[in-house]
Amino acid sequence: MSKTDWISQELDGLKQAGLYNRIRTIGSPQGAWLVVDGKKVLNFCSNNYLGLANHPALVAAAQNAAAEMGVGPAAVRSIAGTTSLHLELEKRLAAFKGVEAAITFQSGFTANLATLPALVGKEDVIFSDRLNHASIIDGCRLSGAKIIAYEHNDPQSLEEQIRANLSQFRRGLVVTDGVFSMDGDIAPLPDIYEVTQKYDLLLMVDDAHGEGVLGAGGRGIVDHFGLHGKVDVEVGTMSKAFGVVGGVVAGKAVIIEWLRQRGRPFLFSSAVTAPDAAACLAALDLLEDSTQLVDQLWANARTFKAEMQKLGFNTGASQTPITPVMLGEAPLAQQFSRELFEAGVFAMALGFPTVPQGKARIRVMISAAHSPADLEQGLEAFRTVGKKLGVI
Ligand SMILES: *Cc1c(COP(=O)(O)O)cnc(C)c1O
């Protein structure tokens, strides 16, 4: 017996259960089509909602920034790694979101890891939606606060948990995803806000899948619901609709100032590079210039979803361009994904533990980059595979 045998056994177990994650290799820029493992396929997998990941304006901005500023930050931001580009990006993001201030991080994941432990500690309580993203869960754990899950998208369950528990703690915070990435449903933020108001709790929303998607010109879930000034902390990412990489926390100036002092990934890990920051600024320029890409995204999503439903697929509870195709057991979802790939469509199967047991699915990510012919081709592949596997 070697001391790593248990790992081999666990890995074999995953393979037998159809839960082993086989990661494919991309050999092209992100776009409506990708070269995956050497094969050209229609891309239904990426979070590249607006097609910005390989947009000429972003690429040019990154190239110029690399030429002017080089490629590495060479220090954490609090020592020698903050450039005028980082500060400009934060100012522009705050203006875009209509908040007092913003701070950027390496990723949305680290934004959550920074924010939750800065705002609550072991005398405190976090009320967290049961289906929140892994980075929220990890941030909650890292904070040392008591974590109490409330039922998914259920403000009444939230209030019950608050009533039953809040008095035993110093302070409380409520945290929810804005758009839930596995189902594409939207948090009922106005109702959640009312509850947080009633009990004077901090409200934090992770809008990773809402930015560039929801609200006027992609300003996110707070704009979508007209809740400006009411949500204390908005976490976001520049790796999805923005097409680049990086995380952001936007909100009240005092909270952002505190994160510059106490956000550990800000203090102890280097920031995104100057080319990243410049590309994010170029993405903001595009979003502020025109709503065309956001409008195209929604038009594509509506078309695709309606046609999938006509074919007889169950697209779950999605209210956004995220389109889950519910299949049940993980092995079926994996087989479906493999057959789609053979048919020239790249769409990932998601199984436990990414989604609950028995709720395996293919998740289709629609993008503004898809042409009508792309959508048509994707639908045809779903029809063929769905019939072959007896799903429709
Ligand atoms: C994708 C995602 C993240 C992580 O964002 P990265 O920038 O890729 O680290 C965080 N929260 C939610 C809700 C997400 O969907």
Side-chain angles (χ1 to χ4, degrees):
M1 280 290 272
S2 103
K3 60 190 168 187
T4 57
D5 278 353
W6 68 271
I7 302 176
S8 309
Q9 284 160 14
E10 290 284 339
L11 288 168
D12 287 343
L14 290 178
K15 285 172 191 164
Q16 274 159 26
L19 300 174
Y20 185 82
N21 191 3
R22 285 172 216 278
I23 300 171
R24 299 205 186 255
T25 309
I26 309 299
S28 64
Q30 285 291 331
W33 290 79
L34 294 176
V35 175
V36 181
D37 293 341
K39 181 178 154 111
K40 190 172 178 214
V41 287
L42 179 62
N43 178 14
F44 273 172
C45 282
S46 304
N47 302 315
N48 186 21
Y49 285 112
L50 303 176
L52 296 182
N54 189 35
H55 191 287
L58 276 71
V59 173
Q63 281 171 337
N64 291 339
E68 261 177 47
M69 301 291 290
V71 292
V76 299
R77 287 188 57 189
S78 51
I79 295 179
T82 294
T83 71
S84 54
L85 279 171
H86 291 93
L87 296 177
E88 190 190 342
L89 177 60
E90 287 165 345
K91 231 164 87 184
R92 290 279 306 278
L93 282 166
F96 182 70
K97 305 287 273 179
V99 296
E100 290 174 9
I103 177 172
T104 56
F105 291 91
Q106 303 82 0
S107 69
F109 202 109
T110 58
N112 277 321
L113 296 193
T115 304
L116 286 152
L119 295 179
V120 283
K122 59 182 187 313
E123 296 118 320
D124 304 323
V125 58
I126 299 170
F127 300 97
S128 174
D129 186 290
R130 194 173 282 293
L131 297 189
N132 273 343
H133 188 263
S135 58
I136 297 179
I137 295 170
D138 287 7
C140 289
R141 287 178 181 155
L142 207 52
S143 75
K146 172 80 177 170
I147 303 159
I148 295 177
Y150 62 89
E151 295 307 320
H152 175 54
N153 276 353
D154 185 345
Q156 202 179 326
S157 163
L158 168 62
E159 182 159 11
E160 281 161 20
Q161 293 295 356
I162 292 171
R163 277 222 204 97
N165 296 288
L166 181 62
S167 61
Q168 300 153 49
F169 298 92
R170 180 182 63 174
R171 280 198 289 274
L173 176 146
V174 175
V175 61
T176 182
D177 273 21
V179 174
F180 287 82
S181 57
M182 295 301 133
D183 292 291
D185 52 340
I186 302 175
L189 208 55
D191 297 337
I192 292 173
Y193 167 72
E194 289 303 327
V195 176
T196 60
Q197 267 302 90
K198 193 163 158 189
Y199 297 93
D200 204 22
L201 301 176
L202 281 172
L203 174 57
M204 170 167 163
V205 61
D206 179 343
D207 203 23
H209 283 276
E211 258 143 11
V213 177
L214 293 179
R219 282 168 174 74
I221 191 170
V222 171
D223 188 83
H224 171 80
F225 284 120
L227 289 172
H228 295 284
K230 295 179 171 171
V231 174
D232 299 296
V233 186
E234 278 178 80
V235 170
T237 176
M238 271 84 79
S239 72
K240 290 180 173 135
F242 276 66
V244 194
V245 73
V248 57
V249 180
K252 302 203 166 87
V254 66
I255 293 177
I256 305 308
E257 188 184 352
W258 181 236
L259 291 176
R260 283 185 204 280
Q261 302 302 316
R262 284 291 182 273
R264 288 169 69 83
F266 180 85
L267 296 169
F268 297 106
S269 178
S270 297
V272 296
T273 68
D276 296 324
C280 290
L281 282 163
L284 277 170
D285 288 341
L286 288 172
L287 284 169
E288 286 178 346
D289 271 0
S290 160
T291 64
Q292 190 254 328
L293 289 173
V294 179
D295 297 342
Q296 187 64 53
L297 167 67
W298 281 93
N300 284 356
R302 288 199 183 98
T303 302
F304 184 79
K305 224 182 275 180
E307 293 298 321
M308 284 293 281
Q309 286 163 4
K310 268 193 225 158
L311 287 173
F313 285 104
N314 173 4
T315 57
S318 172
Q319 302 165 273
T320 61
I322 296 170
T323 309
V325 182
M326 307 305 287
L327 294 169
E329 294 310 316
L332 174 61
Q334 291 214 334
Q335 192 189 354
F336 206 112
S337 175
R338 278 196 302 274
E339 299 267 354
L340 282 173
F341 193 76
E342 286 307 306
V345 174
F346 185 35
M348 280 295 281
L350 300 172
F352 183 79
T354 310
V355 297
Q357 295 271 20
K359 296 214 165 166
R361 66 199 65 181
I362 301 276
R363 184 181 62 167
V364 175
M365 302 301 285
I366 293 297
S367 168
H370 292 123
S371 71
D374 295 337
L375 296 179
E376 195 54 50
Q377 197 166 333
L379 287 162
E380 184 53 33
F382 265 96
R383 195 180 68 82
T384 308
V385 175
K387 286 222 180 328
K388 178 172 174 191
L389 299 183
V391 174
I392 52 169

